[in-house]
PDB file of all heavy atoms in Angstrom:
ATOM      1  N   ARG A 430      55.419  98.996-175.615  1.00 95.00           N
ATOM      2  CA  ARG A 430      54.740  99.871-174.654  1.00 95.00           C
ATOM      3  C   ARG A 430      55.549  99.978-173.367  1.00 95.00           C
ATOM      4  O   ARG A 430      55.630 101.060-172.765  1.00 95.00           O
ATOM      5  CB  ARG A 430      53.348  99.323-174.362  1.00 95.00           C
ATOM      6  CG  ARG A 430      52.526 100.182-173.413  1.00 95.00           C
ATOM      7  CD  ARG A 430      51.073  99.846-173.503  1.00 95.00           C
ATOM      8  NE  ARG A 430      50.308 100.514-172.490  1.00 95.00           N
ATOM      9  CZ  ARG A 430      49.925 101.793-172.547  1.00 95.00           C
ATOM     10  NH1 ARG A 430      50.281 102.552-173.580  1.00 95.00           N
ATOM     11  NH2 ARG A 430      49.207 102.332-171.585  1.00 95.00           N
ATOM     12  N   HIS A 431      56.160  98.883-172.940  1.00 95.00           N
ATOM     13  CA  HIS A 431      56.978  98.901-171.729  1.00 95.00           C
ATOM     14  C   HIS A 431      58.144  99.878-171.879  1.00 95.00           C
ATOM     15  O   HIS A 431      58.443 100.648-170.954  1.00 95.00           O
ATOM     16  CB  HIS A 431      57.501  97.483-171.446  1.00 95.00           C
ATOM     17  CG  HIS A 431      57.969  97.268-170.049  1.00 95.00           C
ATOM     18  ND1 HIS A 431      57.130  97.296-168.962  1.00 95.00           N
ATOM     19  CD2 HIS A 431      59.203  97.005-169.536  1.00 95.00           C
ATOM     20  CE1 HIS A 431      57.803  97.058-167.847  1.00 95.00           C
ATOM     21  NE2 HIS A 431      59.068  96.877-168.182  1.00 95.00           N
ATOM     22  N   ARG A 432      58.787  99.866-173.031  1.00 94.00           N
ATOM     23  CA  ARG A 432      59.899 100.802-173.285  1.00 94.00           C
ATOM     24  C   ARG A 432      59.393 102.240-173.333  1.00 94.00           C
ATOM     25  O   ARG A 432      60.054 103.164-172.817  1.00 94.00           O
ATOM     26  CB  ARG A 432      60.598 100.438-174.590  1.00 94.00           C
ATOM     27  CG  ARG A 432      61.383  99.131-174.537  1.00 94.00           C
ATOM     28  CD  ARG A 432      62.286  98.979-175.755  1.00 94.00           C
ATOM     29  NE  ARG A 432      61.517  98.872-176.987  1.00 94.00           N
ATOM     30  CZ  ARG A 432      61.115  97.723-177.523  1.00 94.00           C
ATOM     31  NH1 ARG A 432      61.412  96.564-176.921  1.00 94.00           N
ATOM     32  NH2 ARG A 432      60.429  97.702-178.654  1.00 94.00           N
ATOM     33  N   SER A 433      58.229 102.438-173.931  1.00 94.00           N
ATOM     34  CA  SER A 433      57.655 103.784-173.999  1.00 94.00           C
ATOM     35  C   SER A 433      57.333 104.313-172.605  1.00 94.00           C
ATOM     36  O   SER A 433      57.603 105.484-172.283  1.00 94.00           O
ATOM     37  CB  SER A 433      56.385 103.755-174.857  1.00 94.00           C
ATOM     38  OG  SER A 433      55.721 104.997-174.830  1.00 94.00           O
ATOM     39  N   GLN A 434      56.760 103.464-171.767  1.00 94.00           N
ATOM     40  CA  GLN A 434      56.462 103.856-170.385  1.00 94.00           C
ATOM     41  C   GLN A 434      57.749 104.213-169.641  1.00 94.00           C
ATOM     42  O   GLN A 434      57.797 105.201-168.897  1.00 94.00           O
ATOM     43  CB  GLN A 434      55.736 102.713-169.675  1.00 94.00           C
ATOM     44  CG  GLN A 434      54.339 102.442-170.199  1.00 94.00           C
ATOM     45  CD  GLN A 434      53.798 101.103-169.736  1.00 94.00           C
ATOM     46  OE1 GLN A 434      54.542 100.138-169.585  1.00 94.00           O
ATOM     47  NE2 GLN A 434      52.500 101.037-169.516  1.00 94.00           N
ATOM     48  N   GLU A 435      58.779 103.418-169.847  1.00 93.00           N
ATOM     49  CA  GLU A 435      60.046 103.664-169.159  1.00 93.00           C
ATOM     50  C   GLU A 435      60.611 105.027-169.516  1.00 93.00           C
ATOM     51  O   GLU A 435      61.130 105.745-168.649  1.00 93.00           O
ATOM     52  CB  GLU A 435      61.043 102.560-169.513  1.00 93.00           C
ATOM     53  CG  GLU A 435      62.227 102.498-168.586  1.00 93.00           C
ATOM     54  CD  GLU A 435      62.909 101.148-168.641  1.00 93.00           C
ATOM     55  OE1 GLU A 435      62.637 100.365-169.565  1.00 93.00           O
ATOM     56  OE2 GLU A 435      63.722 100.882-167.736  1.00 93.00           O
ATOM     57  N   ARG A 436      60.502 105.412-170.778  1.00 93.00           N
ATOM     58  CA  ARG A 436      60.996 106.735-171.191  1.00 93.00           C
ATOM     59  C   ARG A 436      60.203 107.851-170.509  1.00 93.00           C
ATOM     60  O   ARG A 436      60.779 108.877-170.111  1.00 93.00           O
ATOM     61  CB  ARG A 436      60.914 106.869-172.716  1.00 93.00           C
ATOM     62  CG  ARG A 436      61.948 106.035-173.461  1.00 93.00           C
ATOM     63  CD  ARG A 436      62.019 106.438-174.922  1.00 93.00           C
ATOM     64  NE  ARG A 436      60.789 106.123-175.649  1.00 93.00           N
ATOM     65  CZ  ARG A 436      60.557 104.970-176.256  1.00 93.00           C
ATOM     66  NH1 ARG A 436      61.474 103.997-176.223  1.00 93.00           N
ATOM     67  NH2 ARG A 436      59.427 104.772-176.909  1.00 93.00           N
ATOM     68  N   LYS A 437      58.916 107.662-170.376  1.00 93.00           N
ATOM     69  CA  LYS A 437      58.096 108.668-169.689  1.00 93.00           C
ATOM     70  C   LYS A 437      58.500 108.790-168.226  1.00 93.00           C
ATOM     71  O   LYS A 437      58.545 109.891-167.667  1.00 93.00           O
ATOM     72  CB  LYS A 437      56.616 108.299-169.809  1.00 93.00           C
ATOM     73  CG  LYS A 437      56.072 108.398-171.226  1.00 93.00           C
ATOM     74  CD  LYS A 437      54.642 107.890-171.310  1.00 93.00           C
ATOM     75  CE  LYS A 437      54.126 107.950-172.740  1.00 93.00           C
ATOM     76  NZ  LYS A 437      52.751 107.398-172.867  1.00 93.00           N
ATOM     77  N   TYR A 438      58.798 107.664-167.601  1.00 94.00           N
ATOM     78  CA  TYR A 438      59.189 107.680-166.196  1.00 94.00           C
ATOM     79  C   TYR A 438      60.567 108.326-166.028  1.00 94.00           C
ATOM     80  O   TYR A 438      60.829 108.981-165.005  1.00 94.00           O
ATOM     81  CB  TYR A 438      59.213 106.264-165.624  1.00 94.00           C
ATOM     82  CG  TYR A 438      57.879 105.539-165.711  1.00 94.00           C
ATOM     83  CD1 TYR A 438      57.839 104.148-165.832  1.00 94.00           C
ATOM     84  CD2 TYR A 438      56.671 106.228-165.673  1.00 94.00           C
ATOM     85  CE1 TYR A 438      56.625 103.474-165.906  1.00 94.00           C
ATOM     86  CE2 TYR A 438      55.473 105.563-165.761  1.00 94.00           C
ATOM     87  CZ  TYR A 438      55.446 104.189-165.880  1.00 94.00           C
ATOM     88  OH  TYR A 438      54.242 103.528-165.961  1.00 94.00           O
ATOM     89  N   GLU A 439      61.432 108.153-167.016  1.00 92.00           N
ATOM     90  CA  GLU A 439      62.779 108.729-166.927  1.00 92.00           C
ATOM     91  C   GLU A 439      62.737 110.249-166.861  1.00 92.00           C
ATOM     92  O   GLU A 439      63.610 110.885-166.263  1.00 92.00           O
ATOM     93  CB  GLU A 439      63.619 108.272-168.119  1.00 92.00           C
ATOM     94  CG  GLU A 439      64.079 106.819-168.008  1.00 92.00           C
ATOM     95  CD  GLU A 439      64.740 106.315-169.279  1.00 92.00           C
ATOM     96  OE1 GLU A 439      64.755 107.088-170.276  1.00 92.00           O
ATOM     97  OE2 GLU A 439      65.220 105.169-169.283  1.00 92.00           O
ATOM     98  N   ALA A 440      61.715 110.843-167.435  1.00 89.00           N
ATOM     99  CA  ALA A 440      61.571 112.297-167.384  1.00 89.00           C
ATOM    100  C   ALA A 440      61.348 112.792-165.966  1.00 89.00           C
ATOM    101  O   ALA A 440      61.570 113.970-165.663  1.00 89.00           O
ATOM    102  CB  ALA A 440      60.412 112.740-168.275  1.00 89.00           C
ATOM    103  N   LEU A 441      60.915 111.866-165.079  1.00 89.00           N
ATOM    104  CA  LEU A 441      60.696 112.220-163.670  1.00 89.00           C
ATOM    105  C   LEU A 441      61.739 111.580-162.758  1.00 89.00           C
ATOM    106  O   LEU A 441      61.532 111.458-161.554  1.00 89.00           O
ATOM    107  CB  LEU A 441      59.300 111.781-163.233  1.00 89.00           C
ATOM    108  CG  LEU A 441      58.123 112.550-163.830  1.00 89.00           C
ATOM    109  CD1 LEU A 441      56.814 111.923-163.395  1.00 89.00           C
ATOM    110  CD2 LEU A 441      58.166 114.009-163.408  1.00 89.00           C
ATOM    111  N   GLY A 442      62.846 111.150-163.344  1.00 89.00           N
ATOM    112  CA  GLY A 442      63.918 110.572-162.535  1.00 89.00           C
ATOM    113  C   GLY A 442      64.037 109.070-162.639  1.00 89.00           C
ATOM    114  O   GLY A 442      64.902 108.463-162.006  1.00 89.00           O
TER     115      GLY A 442
END
Side-chain angles (χ1 to χ4, degrees):
R430 182 162 172 79
H431 199 66
R432 291 192 296 268
S433 174
Q434 292 165 326
E435 196 160 14
R436 288 192 294 271
K437 292 174 182 177
Y438 301 150
E439 285 172 355
L441 290 175

